[in-house]
Amino acid sequence: MKNKRYYALNSFALSVFIVSILFIWQGNKGFNIGDEGFLWYGAQRVLVGEVPIRDFMAYDPGRYYWSAALMYGFGDNGIMALRLAVAAFQVIGLFIGVFLVSWSSAVENKRSPLYTVLVALILVMWMFPRHKIFDISLSLLQIGVLAFLIENPTTRRYFISGFFIGLVAVFGRNHGMYGSAGSLGVMLWLSIKREKGPYFVKGFLAWSVGVVVGFIPILLMVVAVPGFFTAFLESVKFLFEVKETNLPLPIPWPWTVNFAAVSSIDAARGVLVGLFFIATLVFGCLTIAWVLLQKFKKRPVTPALVATAFLSLPYAHYAFSRADVGHLAQGIFPLLMGCLLLLSAKAARVKWPFTAALCAGSLGAVHIYHPGWQCHLSKQCVTVEVSGNNLQITPDVAGSIALLRRLAEQYAPNGQSFIATPFWPGAYALLERRSPMWEIYALFPRSEAFEKMEIDRIQAAGPGFALVLDIPLDGRDELRFKNTHPLANQYIMDNFILLSDTPNQVYQVYKSKYFYQ
């Protein structure tokens, strides 16, 4: 059997090829002013020396510094440079997934190049939305890290696995929590009828030291960056105040599909999505029970499969925290990897039909969410220049970009600040302006003290206009900006003049009272 390096190189080459083809096809398609703009704005601000969380609302800093570093290397702060940086991270995640299945197949003497290609295609189908590729790749990285530990549980590997869990938390503290939960399960599993490796306490201590070392970038920022420690604590405190990590949605169980109100294709897609949600829970429960039984019986189990078992339920939490297809995609990879690992060792009569079914089911459930397919199916995408690149985007997004540019030219010329709230942080990145507010994505209600600080920031920035999206998010009227941020909304109404010539009623556009033509 060929050595690991051979399979690693092949897996890496295949991953680079598939991500490159995907990028060529849809890299310039679509633009999400909200969610993708949240990442783009943060990367731009890091490039000019600002600090995530301290200077602007942000995810954990790792993804911003990764993006900014590559964008700096490209000499470009535009949207395509950001997407290239994200694609580079996508290669890492896809490589780990493909390699784990490829090597497992080789160990079982069941390796098939065609199967490896199908594995890569199934995984890459679920790698959306584009601005969440970091989260998806992090889940695959943690599967690889725990498989590495299980394969040969030495003290050194306990430390290394802990180091990577800590490093993952630099990119997303939620992933650090999921990885920690999975690691604890793995360590307990390894301690059952232990045949090699350190005792649980010694292994846990080595792992814990590794976590701290991996988390050093954040610890250094806490010590060396003025104001970061306070901002970081406030971000943690806020999670406890709102008592949720996301805005929940009803779970789309397959039996909740309204067959009478949608087309047969949409109904079938709804059923598929619901089945995948169920599968994340069922797989997690069954595989944990199965790998525990095998351990008590001292039967060998594929290391990567054990890793997926103990990460499945933590990542199911991610999927169910906001039960839409996008969050399902971010929490489904332990399930996908577990199924692909199990099928890789089966006889051909089982392996190929079930793999084909998984591939077809994945394609049916998610293909319409890829921007390339969205443009292809709608046949309505138009070309718009964004940050020096021509993007193919839907007419409604093109209209929003045109409106922002017109308003900026008329009411905020020469780099003047403006307000775009609550869900359009990409407006600032698009026009390369600094947001006058820290909270660039205003989802949750805020305290009176917080709103007063935001108003102070607005006063200091002197924005030329304000665009408020008057939208009941998820159909909930209490989530309109005027209800979640009543003081800031009243400040805008008192200090800006509402314009009547807006193209859409949800756009409440105001010009500053101090603007003179």
Side-chain angles (χ1 to χ4, degrees):
M1 184 175 67
K2 298 180 177 68
N3 61 29
K4 273 189 175 181
R5 182 175 296 181
Y6 170 84
Y7 293 101
L9 289 174
N10 278 357
S11 299
F12 182 74
L14 179 61
S15 300
V16 170
F17 176 76
I18 288 179
V19 171
S20 298
I21 294 298
L22 195 65
F23 189 85
I24 291 169
W25 174 47
Q26 64 177 13
N28 71 331
K29 307 251 184 346
F31 178 51
N32 186 321
I33 302 176
D35 294 335
E36 187 177 26
F38 189 86
L39 177 63
W40 186 21
Y41 176 80
Q44 280 191 350
R45 301 321 299 172
V46 167
L47 282 170
V48 297
E50 293 189 14
V51 178
I53 301 176
R54 186 194 70 176
D55 297 326
F56 57 89
M57 184 182 185
Y59 297 119
D60 291 286
R63 69 191 69 200
Y64 298 102
Y65 286 106
W66 170 279
S67 301
L70 292 186
M71 291 164 75
Y72 179 81
F74 300 145
D76 187 353
N77 71 347
I79 188 65
M80 291 302 291
L82 172 73
R83 290 177 180 179
L84 278 171
V86 172
F89 208 83
Q90 183 179 16
V91 168
I92 296 173
L94 186 59
F95 157 68
I96 293 170
V98 172
F99 170 69
L100 288 174
V101 179
S102 177
W103 176 245
S104 177
S105 300
V107 170
E108 299 288 340
N109 293 315
K110 295 286 182 68
R111 183 174 183 269
S112 162
L114 176 59
Y115 186 74
T116 302
V117 171
L118 282 176
V119 166
L121 292 176
I122 291 169
L123 294 179
V124 85
M125 268 191 266
W126 284 94
M127 290 182 137
F128 78 93
R130 181 162 40 206
H131 51 275
K132 289 293 189 176
I133 294 295
F134 285 101
D135 302 274
I136 290 167
S137 291
L138 291 174
S139 70
L140 286 164
L141 173 60
Q142 297 200 104
I143 295 172
V145 166
L146 293 186
F148 174 77
L149 170 62
I150 295 162
E151 182 183 53
N152 185 17
T154 62
T155 303
R156 177 173 171 270
R157 291 202 178 196
Y158 272 95
F159 172 83
I160 292 173
S161 64
F163 170 82
F164 277 103
I165 300 299
L167 187 61
V168 161
V170 174
F171 285 79
R173 71 194 76 167
N174 58 330
H175 293 283
M177 294 298 294
Y178 297 147
S180 296
S183 296
L184 182 60
V186 164
M187 286 186 276
L188 289 171
W189 183 85
L190 287 170
S191 68
I192 297 172
K193 296 191 175 183
R194 183 181 61 88
E195 296 178 348
K196 60 180 180 178
Y199 288 101
F200 175 83
V201 172
K202 183 178 180 181
F204 178 77
L205 289 174
W207 176 88
S208 300
V209 172
V211 170
V212 173
V213 174
F215 201 60
I216 277 180
I218 299 296
L219 300 178
L220 288 176
M221 291 178 71
V222 165
V223 173
V225 179
F228 180 78
F229 178 62
T230 301
F232 188 82
L233 284 183
E234 283 297 320
S235 70
V236 175
K237 178 184 174 183
F238 181 67
L239 289 176
F240 286 98
E241 289 176 353
V242 298
K243 297 182 175 62
E244 53 191 0
T245 58
N246 219 319
L247 290 172
L249 287 173
I251 300 170
W253 303 117
W255 51 85
T256 63
V257 174
N258 189 344
F259 292 91
V262 297
S263 68
S264 57
I265 293 177
D266 288 339
R269 183 177 301 112
V271 170
L272 282 171
V273 169
L275 290 173
F276 276 115
F277 267 103
I278 292 173
T280 60
L281 297 176
V282 173
F283 176 83
C285 294
L286 291 182
T287 50
I288 289 174
W290 185 76
V291 299
L292 286 172
L293 179 63
Q294 299 304 101
K295 193 70 163 68
F296 278 112
K297 292 183 176 181
K298 293 188 176 182
R299 293 174 180 170
V301 185
T302 303
L305 183 58
V306 178
T308 64
F310 288 104
L311 285 171
S312 288
L313 293 181
Y315 272 97
H317 171 268
Y318 200 163
F320 282 87
S321 67
R322 182 170 171 81
D324 58 15
V325 181
H327 285 80
L328 172 63
Q330 295 166 64
I332 200 171
F333 278 80
L335 164 65
L336 294 177
M337 286 294 297
C339 291
L340 293 169
L341 286 161
L342 284 169
L343 289 170
S344 70
K346 298 300 181 183
R349 67 180 182 276
V350 174
K351 176 179 183 177
W352 295 110
F354 279 92
T355 303
L358 180 58
C359 186
S362 297
L363 183 65
V366 304
H367 75 278
I368 65 167
Y369 299 101
H370 285 265
W373 273 107
Q374 289 172 348
C375 276
H376 174 74
L377 294 174
S378 70
K379 301 188 185 301
Q380 293 180 346
C381 285
V382 296
T383 301
V384 176
E385 182 273 324
V386 175
S387 63
N389 302 110
N390 288 328
L391 299 189
Q392 294 286 314
I393 58 180
T394 56
D396 60 323
V397 176
S400 299
I401 291 174
L403 173 64
L404 285 165
R405 286 173 170 166
R406 177 174 64 80
L407 291 173
E409 182 180 359
Q410 190 170 0
Y411 301 112
N414 304 316
Q416 186 180 359
S417 179
F418 66 90
I419 297 170
T421 194
F423 315 127
W424 272 12
Y428 305 118
L430 174 74
L431 300 175
E432 296 189 54
R433 312 284 174 92
R434 188 176 190 269
S435 168
M437 299 182 292
W438 178 89
E439 190 181 33
I440 58 173
Y441 210 109
L443 288 177
F444 295 97
R446 291 285 187 168
S447 68
E448 181 178 331
F450 178 88
E451 285 205 77
K452 287 181 177 179
M453 287 192 293
E454 289 289 74
I455 290 170
D456 289 342
R457 294 186 182 103
I458 294 171
Q459 289 176 326
F465 72 89
L467 190 155
V468 179
L469 299 176
D470 186 30
I471 298 174
L473 186 63
D474 297 337
R476 296 167 57 182
D477 195 65
E478 71 271 19
L479 294 180
R480 291 181 189 269
F481 181 74
K482 64 183 179 183
N483 296 325
T484 59
H485 296 70
L487 296 183
N489 187 71
Q490 189 62 50
Y491 176 84
I492 292 172
M493 294 174 65
D494 292 342
N495 292 273
F496 293 76
I497 301 170
L498 181 65
L499 302 179
S500 59
D501 59 342
T502 55
N504 191 320
Q505 288 187 347
V506 302
Y507 298 159
Q508 295 182 349
V509 180
Y510 303 80
K511 71 173 182 178
S512 172
K513 285 184 176 180
Y514 310 104
F515 175 82
Y516 300 98
Q517 282 186 307

